[in-house]
Amino acid sequence: MLLDVLFPDAFSQIFWMIFMAVTVIPVCMIPTLKEASSVALVGCLGTLIADIVGVSILEWEMRGHPSIPTPDTSLHQVLTAFGNLALAYGAAVVIPDLQRQHSQPERMPRIITVSMGVGTVFFLAIAIAGYAAGGCQLSGNLLFSAVNTSDPYATSALGFIPNRGAVIMAYLFMHVHIVIAFSTIVMPAFFMAERFLLGMHKDKPSMDQEQGVVVKYEDEFAEYRGKLNMLRYIVLRLCILALLVVASIFLRDKFLDLVDFTGASAVTAGSLVLPLMFYLKIFWNKLPMYERAGSMLIIVVCTVLGVYVMIYAGKNLFNPDSSSATFPYCSEEFQSEPYYVRNSTSSA
């Protein structure tokens, strides 16, 4: 969809999806996260620039707006936000890889705290800025609200035609971010596939029994040297990418529901529920009662919310309702038309 907006009417959406997968291949062929650290920094800068430009488009085009329409809040709406939030914090799946490859793994708790804190502040800033301009009419994706993805030259759902140059900049940098973020998030899957299917990564790291951190670990990069090893892991990774492309083509019209479904199911299990269960299993006798109770409460709550959102998102994916509301989170008065169109309601 990003390339569809950048180059409208050039090729079909399926072609652009395959092309985008091709652009991902070079980054996905980087053997480990340690070698991809500088690339990850570029991806971080990409999303910063894209979101700043996207928010700027929204604030500029909606300047002079009256009071924003408030959402017709229900418990269901609050609960279904869980899937999106889970996916937003889904990078937790790379923590074991970072811990294993970090030269000072004992610093990981501080790294996690700082990175999650900064990320949370950034999420809140974007959400507040977007909501302040669009209210309940804001889409679940900021860039989808700023431009009409079906026809980038037409009026967006919020009633304005954004500056084309700004749209290109936002979507271009977001494309850079997605390419790099995808390759980062999929690294643990590559590692596990290489371990189980190719027999790689079998050497166990030595552990400090007191601190529970890796003291010495074989250089993973050495396992990727040699023509045969290179051919094996490249073919395996290409096969995984091909399967993901096929799945994305079939589900291309349900992106936001797919985000919720993935966040509520795979990400919730892999980043929240299972890590806590393993943590309790290993350190149960050493943990204070309040930490055990807190961990168990998180497991139960996240499991219930994950199942609820997974069922709802799955229904929208495979048996969607026929609702035609443009802004379903608003009251009936604001569900069909933008609440403010600057060119027709303001002389500015």
Side-chain angles (χ1 to χ4, degrees):
M1 189 171 290
L2 291 175
L3 296 176
D4 251 350
V5 173
L6 288 172
F7 309 103
D9 302 323
F11 294 103
S12 68
Q13 191 179 63
I14 293 177
F15 175 89
W16 283 127
M17 294 176 76
I18 296 173
F19 180 83
M20 191 168 185
V22 172
T23 65
V24 168
I25 290 175
V27 191
C28 286
M29 293 303 111
I30 298 176
T32 67
L33 284 175
K34 193 168 186 177
E35 281 71 39
S37 57
S38 58
V39 178
L41 177 61
V42 174
C44 178
L45 294 176
T47 191
L48 283 172
I49 297 172
D51 286 329
I52 290 172
V53 174
V55 169
S56 300
I57 292 173
L58 194 62
E59 297 295 337
W60 175 255
E61 297 294 347
M62 298 295 289
R63 65 189 186 278
H65 64 81
S67 298
I68 59 173
T70 56
D72 186 18
T73 308
S74 65
L75 179 62
H76 170 74
Q77 290 183 7
V78 175
L79 294 180
T80 51
F82 176 79
N84 208 311
L85 287 173
L87 189 65
Y89 290 94
V93 296
V94 304
I95 289 176
D97 287 52
L98 293 176
Q99 170 100 10
R100 189 180 62 253
Q101 298 172 18
H102 203 290
S103 58
Q104 294 179 292
E106 66 275 6
R107 296 178 58 193
M108 282 302 296
R110 186 190 310 169
I111 293 171
I112 294 170
T113 301
V114 172
S115 59
M116 296 290 276
V118 172
T120 299
V121 170
F122 189 61
F123 288 146
L124 286 174
I126 295 174
I128 293 171
Y131 180 77
C136 63
Q137 294 189 342
L138 196 70
S139 165
N141 186 297
L142 174 68
L143 296 184
F144 292 175
S145 294
V147 64
N148 186 333
T149 55
S150 299
D151 182 1
Y153 296 105
T155 303
S156 69
L158 290 177
F160 60 81
I161 300 177
N163 178 275
R164 181 63 183 162
V167 170
I168 290 175
M169 182 177 292
Y171 273 69
L172 193 60
F173 278 103
M174 186 54 68
H175 174 75
V176 172
H177 163 70
I178 289 176
V179 167
I180 296 174
F182 173 82
S183 66
T184 302
I185 295 297
V186 81
M187 277 292 183
F190 287 158
F191 179 89
M192 297 304 295
E194 290 161 0
R195 180 182 175 88
F196 288 110
L197 299 179
L198 302 182
M200 299 170 64
H201 317 306
K202 292 293 187 179
D203 293 326
K204 295 182 179 180
S206 57
M207 304 291 292
D208 186 318
Q209 296 300 324
E210 294 183 359
Q211 299 184 27
V213 299
V214 177
V215 176
K216 183 179 179 182
Y217 192 84
E218 178 191 4
D219 180 16
E220 287 185 28
F221 190 73
E223 296 188 86
Y224 295 96
R225 296 192 181 103
K227 293 182 179 179
L228 180 60
N229 285 342
M230 287 180 62
L231 180 63
R232 293 168 68 217
Y233 92 81
I234 288 174
V235 170
L236 177 61
R237 293 188 179 190
L238 288 176
C239 290
I240 294 174
L241 291 176
L243 291 175
L244 293 175
V245 170
V246 172
S248 65
I249 289 174
F250 280 106
L251 299 172
R252 64 187 181 278
D253 295 326
K254 299 292 181 181
F255 175 75
L256 294 179
D257 291 318
L258 181 61
V259 166
D260 288 341
F261 184 83
T262 305
S265 56
V267 176
T268 299
S271 298
L272 290 169
V273 176
L274 291 178
L276 279 175
M277 291 178 66
F278 297 149
Y279 177 66
L280 290 176
K281 179 181 178 181
I282 295 173
F283 297 105
W284 179 266
N285 294 328
K286 298 180 180 180
L287 295 177
M289 183 58 67
Y290 69 86
E291 193 165 344
R292 296 181 195 173
S295 298
M296 293 175 68
L297 179 63
I298 293 173
I299 290 173
V300 172
V301 171
C302 289
T303 300
V304 172
L305 291 177
V307 170
Y308 179 85
V309 177
M310 183 178 66
I311 293 173
Y312 175 75
K315 179 177 178 294
N316 287 337
L317 276 174
F318 305 110
N319 187 26
D321 295 329
S322 57
S323 174
S324 58
T326 306
F327 309 110
Y329 297 115
C330 297
S331 59
E332 189 173 350
E333 177 185 359
F334 297 105
Q335 285 189 354
S336 300
E337 299 294 333
Y339 80 98
Y340 170 74
V341 179
R342 184 175 60 85
N343 289 336
S344 63
T345 60
S346 172
S347 59

